[in-house]
Amino acid sequence: MSSEPFNLLSFRGKIKILHLTWVAFFITFFAWFNHAPLLMAIAKSLSLTPDQVKTLLILNVALTIPARILVGMFTDKYGPRLTYSLLLAIGSVPCFIFALADNFIQAAIGRFLLGFIGAGFVIGIRMVSEWFPVHQLGTAEGIYGGWGNFGSAAAAISLPAIALIVGGDNGWRYAIGLTGIIALIYSVIYYFSVTDTPKGLAYFKPKKIGGMEITSRGDFILLLIVKIPIYAALALLTWRLSSGIGLFSNTTATIIYCGLGLLYMLDTHKTYKVNREVLNNPPAPIHRYKFKQVVVLNLLYFATFGSELAVVSMLPLFFSETFTLDPVKAGLLGSAYAFMNLMSRPAGGLISDRWGRRPTLLVLTAGLALGYFTMALIDTQWPLYLAVAAAMACSFFVQAGEGAVFAVVPLIQRRLTGQIAGITGAYGNVGAVFYLTVLSLVSYQDFFLVIGITALLGFAAVLLLEEPEGQIAETLPDGSVSMINVA
């Protein structure tokens, strides 16, 4: 990895890769959340009921759960350059489907498929980890995640204005279609502008593909347990769409439940095949990693990114209904939550680099719990400026916590970074499905209260996290071992 200084004004070497990669992530979020600030116009144009609007919010994060795991595997196997370029190109198609929708079913299909583009985050985590040394990694990953995440705020700020300029009932269609065009164009730019690693360095790949590698029998059982909530979230989504919304029949739901059960068994079998040798002959200590670390990070990302996805989706509507605002103003104020990504997520990574991963996570997780308990108190009696300030303060801890989580992810096992980022990222979407389902059943205030309670559980989980230290061992293609300093 390059030893050049961390100069964000540069556009050479690792800094160039960082800028090009956060822009790719920015575009994925810009497209993924292109509906949030336009929900009122979309609902009016397609004659959607309130339940159908909430269904679109849930569908938007559903496919991202398995997609992040699969994309993480593809990234480790084929490299971030190709994987990111393909994801941007393929992800542009659902933008066009949604923009051309004439009824709820067509919009639901487009929204569900668009969740695929939300998997882009895990690709950049691997790309950035290949280009930056450990002592700069938290800061670099924080900038990548924070500036990229700002894509949702940019959508909230710009898309209502674009729709307004175009005018008419179809203004929202042109705005959403534009996000697909941007994603398609940038897919080509990214492919021809980056490389997977600095010149002369090898790209480490997992020994096998098809399942995550573990290094002990206990970790194998733990991995199978960790995957259950992922399938449970998809089952929860199925229940909500059948019993709660009536999108499809109970018979269809039963078939989906059975399919999810079969997929879990198939996943278990593939994971066993990948790890059969390890289960029979555990590797030397130098090649092991503790899957417990991954579990803790999963729980933290459930509370941090899961809540961000849910809140970003509903906050413009919350402000609009609570304070009787027009869609443009509500979208602008709702963007305040995501706006904090510009500084808070990089701050989380920077603080982790300077003061340690575990202490940083403890402080930030406690802060986000307090932030959501405060947001649960917001009602029509609050001054609008104070409500916006509370949302921004809460978002600082949420997004700084996300940056701190992914300051740890690349330090666990380098060649598996894509897969670890994938399963951790998937837990963020599991959290989003859980929180959005809660939102469909309770009031806004209870919704924020539930998030605060789960944040406290995340705080307890951090107490089990071990501060990364020592060295990361990697096996080179010739069989020799390369040591990478962590602390």
Side-chain angles (χ1 to χ4, degrees):
M1 297 183 188
S2 171
S3 60
E4 65 186 87
F6 203 113
N7 177 15
L8 279 176
L9 298 180
S10 170
F11 199 73
R12 299 176 56 187
K14 64 185 181 184
I15 304 298
K16 171 187 174 183
I17 297 299
L18 176 60
H19 285 312
L20 289 169
T21 304
W22 76 252
V23 170
F25 181 35
F26 177 97
I27 291 173
T28 65
F29 258 53
F30 189 71
W32 191 15
F33 287 97
N34 56 21
H35 67 301
L38 301 170
L39 274 177
M40 296 182 70
I42 294 169
K44 181 180 179 181
S45 177
L46 300 181
S47 301
L48 303 180
T49 66
D51 278 345
Q52 288 175 331
V53 171
K54 291 182 177 180
T55 300
L56 293 180
L57 296 181
I58 299 174
L59 287 172
N60 195 56
V61 299
L63 187 60
T64 318
I65 296 173
R68 286 195 167 191
I69 295 174
L70 293 174
V71 168
M73 292 181 183
F74 293 151
T75 301
D76 286 340
K77 181 68 175 179
Y78 300 107
R81 171 177 173 251
L82 176 62
T83 308
Y84 229 148
S85 299
L86 286 176
L87 180 133
L88 285 165
I90 296 171
S92 68
V93 177
C95 292
F96 303 136
I97 294 175
F98 191 81
L100 296 172
D102 289 324
N103 53 56
F104 170 68
I105 297 298
Q106 293 175 5
I109 293 172
R111 210 71 247 164
F112 174 73
L113 294 177
L114 195 53
F116 178 76
I117 205 170
F121 170 67
V122 304
I123 307 172
I125 292 294
R126 179 68 195 259
M127 175 66 92
V128 172
S129 73
E130 292 294 327
W131 279 84
F132 284 82
V134 169
H135 68 278
Q136 296 177 344
L137 191 54
T139 304
E141 297 285 17
I143 290 171
Y144 162 72
W147 292 7
N149 254 2
F150 186 70
S152 61
I157 294 170
S158 63
L159 293 183
I162 293 173
L164 192 62
I165 291 171
V166 175
D169 293 337
N170 291 323
W172 67 269
R173 298 181 186 276
Y174 290 102
I176 286 177
L178 177 64
T179 65
I181 293 173
I182 293 172
L184 185 59
I185 292 174
Y186 197 76
S187 68
V188 178
I189 295 173
Y190 192 76
Y191 183 81
F192 288 104
S193 302
V194 304
T195 57
D196 289 331
T197 62
K199 186 176 181 180
L201 293 185
Y203 183 77
F204 296 106
K205 299 181 180 181
K207 297 176 183 177
K208 297 179 181 179
I209 199 72
M212 179 174 286
E213 295 177 22
I214 46 83
T215 53
S216 73
R217 293 184 179 182
D219 283 352
F220 177 75
I221 300 300
L222 190 56
L223 173 59
L224 297 185
I225 294 173
V226 163
K227 288 188 176 183
I228 291 175
I230 295 174
Y231 288 90
L234 296 174
L236 177 63
L237 172 66
T238 302
W239 168 79
R240 182 59 189 159
L241 295 179
S242 58
S243 300
I245 306 298
L247 185 61
F248 44 76
S249 67
N250 290 333
T251 301
T252 302
T254 301
I255 294 173
I256 295 175
Y257 295 143
C258 293
L260 289 172
L262 291 173
L263 280 175
Y264 178 75
M265 290 188 285
L266 177 62
D267 190 3
T268 299
H269 177 66
K270 286 187 175 182
T271 303
Y272 172 76
K273 288 180 64 177
V274 168
N275 293 288
R276 182 186 304 169
E277 183 179 342
V278 170
L279 295 175
N280 294 326
N281 299 292
I286 196 173
H287 297 300
R288 297 179 188 175
Y289 76 98
K290 295 182 179 180
F291 190 73
K292 175 190 74 173
Q293 302 282 78
V294 180
V295 176
V296 174
L297 297 176
N298 289 352
L299 295 175
L300 292 175
Y301 215 59
F302 180 102
T304 55
F305 189 64
S307 67
E308 181 183 355
L309 284 181
V311 173
V312 165
S313 295
M314 56 73 69
L315 200 57
L317 200 59
F318 170 70
F319 280 134
S320 176
E321 294 181 2
T322 303
F323 299 100
T324 317
L325 304 176
D326 65 75
V328 174
K329 185 178 291 185
L332 288 173
L333 292 178
S335 70
Y337 186 93
F339 182 84
M340 295 295 291
N341 267 303
L342 284 175
M343 70 171 191
S344 53
R345 192 155 183 164
L350 177 62
I351 296 170
S352 291
D353 284 343
R354 298 287 179 84
W355 301 105
R357 319 295 179 182
R358 187 170 178 268
T360 300
L361 285 169
L362 283 169
V363 172
L364 295 177
T365 307
L368 75 92
L370 180 61
Y372 279 120
F373 287 141
T374 302
M375 289 188 70
L377 301 175
I378 297 175
D379 58 23
T380 55
Q381 302 303 312
W382 278 50
L384 179 58
Y385 74 88
L386 191 58
V388 174
M392 293 181 71
C394 179
S395 71
F396 172 82
F397 289 101
V398 172
Q399 294 148 11
E402 295 163 8
V405 167
F406 274 89
V408 180
V409 165
L411 304 180
I412 295 176
Q413 188 76 327
R414 185 183 176 195
R415 71 176 184 277
L416 302 178
T417 296
Q419 293 180 68
I420 295 172
I423 195 169
T424 301
Y427 256 76
N429 288 85
V430 170
V433 170
F434 172 77
Y435 294 134
L436 286 172
T437 301
V438 169
L439 175 63
S440 68
L441 301 173
V442 303
S443 67
Y444 290 124
Q445 286 71 28
D446 289 340
F447 164 73
F448 292 128
L449 187 62
V450 168
I451 300 176
I453 292 172
T454 56
L456 289 180
L457 297 177
F459 179 87
V462 180
L463 299 175
L464 302 175
L465 185 71
E466 298 178 19
E467 182 75 23
E469 58 183 15
Q471 295 177 313
I472 299 175
E474 293 292 352
T475 304
L476 300 176
D478 62 3
S480 62
V481 176
S482 170
M483 302 302 295
I484 303 172
N485 290 323
V486 172

